Amino acid sequence: MVAYQILCGLMGVAWLVVGASLFSMFFAFHSPGGRSGGLFATMGPQGHYLAAFAGCALITWALLLLAAARRPLEGRAVGTATALGLVLCASYRMVAWVVGDYAAVADLLRIESAVFLTLALGFVWLRPARVEAAT
């Protein structure tokens, strides 16, 4: 159960950092004279709007994972839902890898898919056993 708590805690912190970054990027882009750079330079206002929405979802997901890390027996469903979300993330990356439109990042898509599927397995295998109600 400790391994499950560590996994939930680490993923919760990671999602919180990424979510907060995406959310704050929206405000940085729309501030006076604000422009984003690097990977996000070409997103434009619609892209930043969607990134902020994704940031909100990641922050919520992070808080649920952190709650599951604190009380793993009550947070079994959070681990299962996280595993499903990670499988979905891996699925569309595998399709993008096969499509060929993303040939420039094909190796990255394969690595991301493998990482997401490995994490999903961890969330399923490490979750605490179902506790039967005392009679």
Side-chain angles (χ1 to χ4, degrees), residues 22 37 40 85 89 131:
L22 290 173
F40 305 105
C89 286
V131 177

Side-chain angles (χ1 to χ4, degrees), residues 65-129:
L65 283 169
L66 291 172
R70 289 187 68 202
R71 295 183 178 203
L73 295 176
E74 288 101 19
R76 282 177 39 93
V78 174
T80 304
T82 299
L84 175 64
L86 291 168
V87 168
L88 292 173
C89 286
S91 299
Y92 86 84
R93 281 169 170 79
M94 287 188 274
V95 170
W97 168 41
V98 173
V99 168
D101 290 340
Y102 305 94
V105 293
D107 289 335
L108 178 63
L109 294 172
R110 273 183 266 172
I111 292 167
E112 286 178 339
S113 294
V115 168
F116 286 146
L117 290 174
T118 303
L119 286 169
L121 245 108
F123 275 102
V124 171
W125 281 350
L126 297 174
R127 74 179 171 188

Side-chain angles (χ1 to χ4, degrees), residues 15-96:
W15 276 193
L16 191 61
V17 169
V18 173
S21 298
L22 290 173
F23 184 72
S24 63
M25 197 170 57
F26 173 82
F27 294 100
F29 177 77
H30 290 291
S31 67
R35 292 284 166 225
S36 60
L39 294 172
F40 305 105
T42 59
M43 283 193 346
Q46 291 85 8
H48 282 85
Y49 177 84
L50 290 174
F53 179 76
C56 293
L58 284 174
I59 290 169
T60 304
W61 193 358
L63 295 175
L64 288 169
L65 283 169
L66 291 172
R70 289 187 68 202
R71 295 183 178 203
L73 295 176
E74 288 101 19
R76 282 177 39 93
V78 174
T80 304
T82 299
L84 175 64
L86 291 168
V87 168
L88 292 173
C89 286
S91 299
Y92 86 84
R93 281 169 170 79
M94 287 188 274
V95 170

